[in-house]
Amino acid sequence: MCKVKIAKALALGMVVSTLLSATAFAAVSTEAVKGTPVVDGTLEDVWNSAKVIDVNVKQPNSVPDEPATAKVRAMWDEKNLYVFAEVFDSKLNKDAKQQPWEVDSIEFFIDENNSKGTYYDGDDAQYRVDIDNIRSGGSGAQLDLFTQSAVVKTDKGYIVEAAIPLRRDAKEGQVIGFDSQVNDDTGAGKREGIVGWSQTNEDAFANPSVFGTMTLAAAGSAAPAAPADDTSSNPSTGDASVLAYAVMAGLSAVTMVAKKRSK
Ligand code: BGC
């Protein structure tokens, strides 16, 4: 009787921990479509086949109930990863005396060989563009080559389009690490809102292992773009399959324990 209870508790524990760990490492993934856009902040036709990801995961130090979020599309050619971000920010704020990440801005993180290391190595980089189209970066940024970006203010916030320079020639089928982050000053003169795509602990600036993955796909092969103002959650995340995997792993753990006990 007691043994059965212990076995049940054990099985339940295994299911819960499998679920938790699978969720914690639920890497999100997306695709960039092949092409070369004009970097001007306009969503021209070439962007229509790009997937859209939601940068809306609140980070631990994010204060506002509704921090600024973004929808980001990506495109690639041999030399650059192009990003087109629609940022939803009800009030644009920037205290020019602040550090660049403390003002309304969006960041992009890349790991060209998707090595997912826990610190920045030679092909990892952090880039940022603020509402005044001021470009900046953190670890690994090639700021001398980060010269193309455009910002367009909209009634919902702002659009940032930028060309992120790549260190090696990109190839179709290549998988890179990618993340993004929206910094939101809601009027306090400093950053209060922080949301990300894959990261959950506002550490993408230091730890590429938390990035999601992005496959450099063929021209026009990605799913059609969602409408610009569709704020529904991102279908390109892998959460459903991770959950299915976790449930299966949990079930097999239960079966294992049950079999052992019945022997
Ligand atoms: C982070 C800051 C960090 C900065 C470095 C930002 O994304 O949120 O904490 O100091 O990047 O560039």
Side-chain angles (χ1 to χ4, degrees):
M1 182 66 171
C2 188
K3 273 186 179 168
V4 173
K5 271 191 181 163
I6 293 173
K8 273 187 181 167
L10 237 144
L12 190 70
M14 282 173 83
V15 173
V16 170
S17 74
T18 311
L19 270 168
L20 282 178
S21 62
T23 311
F25 298 113
V28 288
S29 59
T30 187
E31 285 177 8
V33 66
K34 175 94 194 277
T36 305
V38 180
V39 180
D40 58 359
T42 345
L43 196 74
E44 69 258 51
D45 285 353
V46 64
W47 280 107
N48 281 340
S49 53
K51 278 197 175 181
V52 183
I53 59 167
D54 284 309
V55 183
N56 61 5
V57 179
K58 273 196 210 176
Q59 306 297 302
N61 284 317
S62 188
V63 182
D65 287 341
E66 290 187 7
T69 61
K71 288 193 173 290
V72 173
R73 295 163 164 83
M75 200 180 295
W76 68 280
D77 62 20
E78 280 73 17
K79 299 290 168 207
N80 295 292
L81 181 73
Y82 302 91
V83 281
F84 188 100
E86 295 170 83
V87 185
F88 303 92
D89 186 337
S90 53
K91 196 160 175 296
L92 304 190
N93 294 297
K94 172 176 173 177
D95 179 344
K97 299 185 296 296
Q98 282 284 13
Q99 296 286 0
W101 57 86
E102 297 281 344
V103 308
D104 283 348
S105 54
I106 183 160
E107 307 192 5
F108 307 99
F109 308 85
I110 56 163
D111 171 2
E112 284 182 46
N113 66 357
N114 193 35
S115 60
K116 296 266 186 298
T118 51
Y119 56 86
Y120 274 59
D121 63 25
D123 66 354
D124 306 333
Q126 176 190 15
Y127 293 95
R128 188 186 301 105
V129 181
D130 80 7
I131 48 169
D132 291 335
N133 198 20
I134 302 297
R135 292 178 288 273
S136 59
S139 297
Q142 305 184 85
L143 291 180
D144 51 333
L145 300 178
F146 185 43
T147 54
Q148 291 185 72
S149 67
V151 173
V152 176
K153 308 259 167 81
T154 67
D155 54 357
K156 294 187 183 117
Y158 57 102
I159 287 169
V160 171
E161 187 171 10
I164 293 169
L166 298 173
R167 285 197 152 82
R168 7 181 140 163
D169 283 2
K171 292 190 177 50
E172 192 177 314
Q174 188 182 333
V175 177
I176 67 168
F178 180 81
D179 213 332
S180 179
Q181 173 178 313
V182 178
N183 300 313
D184 186 12
D185 170 0
T186 56
K190 63 181 172 62
R191 177 175 68 184
E192 290 172 302
I194 316 170
V195 299
W197 176 50
S198 176
Q199 60 178 328
T200 55
N201 205 25
E202 57 200 60
D203 53 353
F205 77 99
N207 180 5
S209 75
V210 302
F211 298 179
T213 55
M214 177 181 276
T215 303
L216 307 185
S221 69
D229 55 357
D230 173 9
T231 48
S232 64
S233 71
N234 179 18
S236 68
T237 59
D239 292 354
S241 57
V242 168
L243 203 70
Y245 160 79
V247 169
M248 277 170 66
L251 282 177
S252 66
V254 175
T255 321
M256 266 168 62
V257 173
K259 272 188 182 159
K260 265 197 170 168
R261 290 284 148 196
S262 69
K263 269 182 191 163

